[in-house]
Amino acid sequence: MEKIKCLIIGSGPAGYTAAIYAARAGVEPVLYTGSTPGGQLTITTDVENYPGYPDGIMGPEMMEDFRKQAERFGTDVRYEMIEKVDFTGPKHKLWTESGHEIEADSVIISTGASAKWLGLESEQKLATTGGGVSACAVCDGFFFRGMEVAIVGGGDTAAEEATYLAKLCPKVHMLVRRDELRASKIMQERVLNNEKIQVHWNTEVTDVIGDPVVEAIKVVNNKTGEHTEIAIKGLFVAIGHQPNTKLFEGWLDMDETGYLITKPGTAKTNIEGVFASGDAQDKVYRQAITAAGTGCMAALDAERYLTEKGII
Ligand code: NDP
């Protein structure tokens, strides 16, 4: 069994920021990246709202910078998943997917969140077989150059991805279940002023047609009850995210949707020595900068905890 003072789970802005602070404090952190090293920002393009980058930066490049900065101060970055935890305490036990057992004095959770799906059988089948259903326009939009596509959702993600797809595709159908967008004003304007994007208000997808590849979607107008079909080659789903916290069920307090609950003004969870940061505990702001901020909080809380316990 390996003994670690501070184990960080996750490699988005929260995890790497926690690692930078913990490493500089001499805590010798070990960071497990999880299945998407770099987290959600590795599947986005331009990041224009992270302070310090006046001309913007590509998401994957930014996460490379985060990783290098964490490693520069001695963070041990490991490309694996944590599969099981035991927080009975006082030392916390964790197991990697290859069965390696770790005993950690403190744990920082930065496992982020994952894309949500509509839950249609046809959607899932076509998504898992690469048949033209995707939850990431930036990753897969390229395959639909010159083709007509649709995107579901009315938030900032859907607006951003619709705008991105409109650069590649002649027409983008944006399917919004209400009669207004949830997206920020600036993103709304970009969508509504883009002549390649057709917004279908009060519209829900009831089925995806095509086998082995998408040919059309069936939609219903939830105000008029009218059913129609739209011929498309690609369907993008951008309806929000689910926190990656299943691993901690039964150990850590979470809300009804699975977001970890921290003590107000801190990164402390209900278990001593276990801290939470980033999107795994934030359903309100969910920004790279807020994730980084809470990663910093988690590292400072962990450092204080380790000092109080006489471990460092
Ligand atoms: P949001 O939760 O903000 O929006 C989800 C959208 O999907 C809403 O329009 C919602 O409709 C719709 N939706 C949810 N479930 C369904 C369903 N089953 N069928 C149809 N539509 C559905 O998620 P986002 O991923 O867009 O954004 C998450 C956070 O990240 C936000 O805080 C956002 O501001 C931020 N963000 C910021 C960006 C930036 O600043 N560049 C870019 C991307 C995201 P309804 O409104 O009716 O609930």
Side-chain angles (χ1 to χ4, degrees), residues 93-227:
K93 289 188 185 149
L94 304 99
W95 289 264
T96 69
E97 59 186 343
S98 63
H100 180 56
E101 190 175 346
I102 295 166
E103 195 182 79
D105 294 305
S106 66
V107 177
I108 295 176
I109 297 164
S110 320
T111 46
S114 301
K116 278 190 196 163
W117 296 96
L118 295 170
L120 302 169
E121 206 178 302
S122 50
E123 168 207 46
Q124 283 312 296
K125 186 164 171 259
L126 289 156
T128 48
T129 55
V133 175
S134 164
C136 177
V138 173
C139 318
D140 301 325
F142 185 75
F143 301 119
F144 300 92
R145 274 171 307 156
M147 302 177 197
E148 208 160 312
V149 296
I151 184 158
V152 188
D156 275 323
T157 304
E160 193 175 79
E161 297 200 340
T163 309
Y164 176 80
L165 288 167
K167 291 179 194 154
L168 301 169
C169 306
K171 182 152 191 182
V172 179
H173 299 271
M174 186 166 177
L175 312 164
V176 180
R177 68 178 174 183
R178 288 187 294 137
D179 56 5
E180 62 178 345
L181 296 170
R182 183 184 288 275
S184 56
K185 255 285 149 310
I186 184 168
M187 294 308 293
Q188 291 199 21
E189 279 164 16
R190 278 187 204 170
V191 163
L192 299 173
N193 293 331
N194 191 322
E195 56 187 24
K196 285 190 184 169
I197 303 173
Q198 182 183 350
V199 180
H200 300 253
W201 304 106
N202 303 110
T203 302
E204 294 175 37
V205 179
T206 55
D207 204 3
V208 191
I209 303 165
D211 184 14
V213 293
V214 175
E215 289 163 18
I217 42 171
K218 285 188 179 176
V219 298
V220 62
N221 182 307
N222 57 28
K223 273 223 164 123
T224 63
E226 188 192 355
H227 289 265

Side-chain angles (χ1 to χ4, degrees), residues 16-305:
Y16 280 137
T17 303
I20 292 163
Y21 273 78
R24 292 187 79 253
V27 172
E28 298 164 9
V30 174
L31 182 148
Y32 277 83
T33 60
S35 61
T36 314
Q40 291 181 83
L41 279 174
T42 56
I43 52 168
T44 191
T45 48
D46 278 317
V47 179
E48 294 178 338
N49 51 12
Y50 199 90
Y53 295 102
D55 302 319
I57 184 166
M58 300 302 275
E61 198 184 328
M62 183 164 113
M63 294 322 296
E64 271 298 290
D65 287 347
F66 270 67
R67 181 185 56 76
K68 284 183 202 153
Q69 195 172 349
E71 285 185 331
R72 182 180 151 214
F73 298 109
T75 305
D76 180 351
V77 177
R78 300 180 185 174
Y79 295 87
E80 219 191 322
M81 296 273 287
I82 296 291
E83 201 177 63
K84 194 178 139 199
V85 302
D86 179 340
F87 291 157
T88 314
K91 303 263 184 196
H92 305 302
K93 289 188 185 149
L94 304 99
W95 289 264
T96 69
E97 59 186 343
S98 63
H100 180 56
E101 190 175 346
I102 295 166
E103 195 182 79
D105 294 305
S106 66
V107 177
I108 295 176
I109 297 164
S110 320
T111 46
S114 301
K116 278 190 196 163
W117 296 96
L118 295 170
L120 302 169
E121 206 178 302
S122 50
E123 168 207 46
Q124 283 312 296
K125 186 164 171 259
L126 289 156
T128 48
T129 55
V133 175
S134 164
C136 177
V138 173
C139 318
D140 301 325
F142 185 75
F143 301 119
F144 300 92
R145 274 171 307 156
M147 302 177 197
E148 208 160 312
V149 296
I151 184 158
V152 188
D156 275 323
T157 304
E160 193 175 79
E161 297 200 340
T163 309
Y164 176 80
L165 288 167
K167 291 179 194 154
L168 301 169
C169 306
K171 182 152 191 182
V172 179
H173 299 271
M174 186 166 177
L175 312 164
V176 180
R177 68 178 174 183
R178 288 187 294 137
D179 56 5
E180 62 178 345
L181 296 170
R182 183 184 288 275
S184 56
K185 255 285 149 310
I186 184 168
M187 294 308 293
Q188 291 199 21
E189 279 164 16
R190 278 187 204 170
V191 163
L192 299 173
N193 293 331
N194 191 322
E195 56 187 24
K196 285 190 184 169
I197 303 173
Q198 182 183 350
V199 180
H200 300 253
W201 304 106
N202 303 110
T203 302
E204 294 175 37
V205 179
T206 55
D207 204 3
V208 191
I209 303 165
D211 184 14
V213 293
V214 175
E215 289 163 18
I217 42 171
K218 285 188 179 176
V219 298
V220 62
N221 182 307
N222 57 28
K223 273 223 164 123
T224 63
E226 188 192 355
H227 289 265
T228 42
E229 262 185 46
I230 306 172
I232 47 151
K233 300 277 191 225
L235 176 67
F236 294 88
V237 180
I239 60 169
H241 292 81
Q242 180 70 36
N244 301 323
T245 55
K246 210 162 176 41
L247 180 61
F248 312 109
E249 270 174 14
W251 297 107
L252 300 182
D253 290 345
M254 35 184 100
D255 73 7
E256 65 291 348
T257 46
Y259 285 91
L260 298 176
I261 295 171
T262 51
K263 301 207 168 101
T266 77
K268 294 175 188 171
T269 67
N270 55 303
I271 302 259
E272 219 191 16
V274 179
F275 306 90
S277 60
D279 286 11
Q281 54 84 56
D282 172 20
K283 66 172 169 189
V284 179
Y285 302 105
R286 296 180 290 192
Q287 299 300 300
I289 185 69
T290 48
T294 55
C296 162
M297 288 167 65
L300 293 177
D301 283 349
E303 184 199 341
R304 279 182 201 134
Y305 170 79

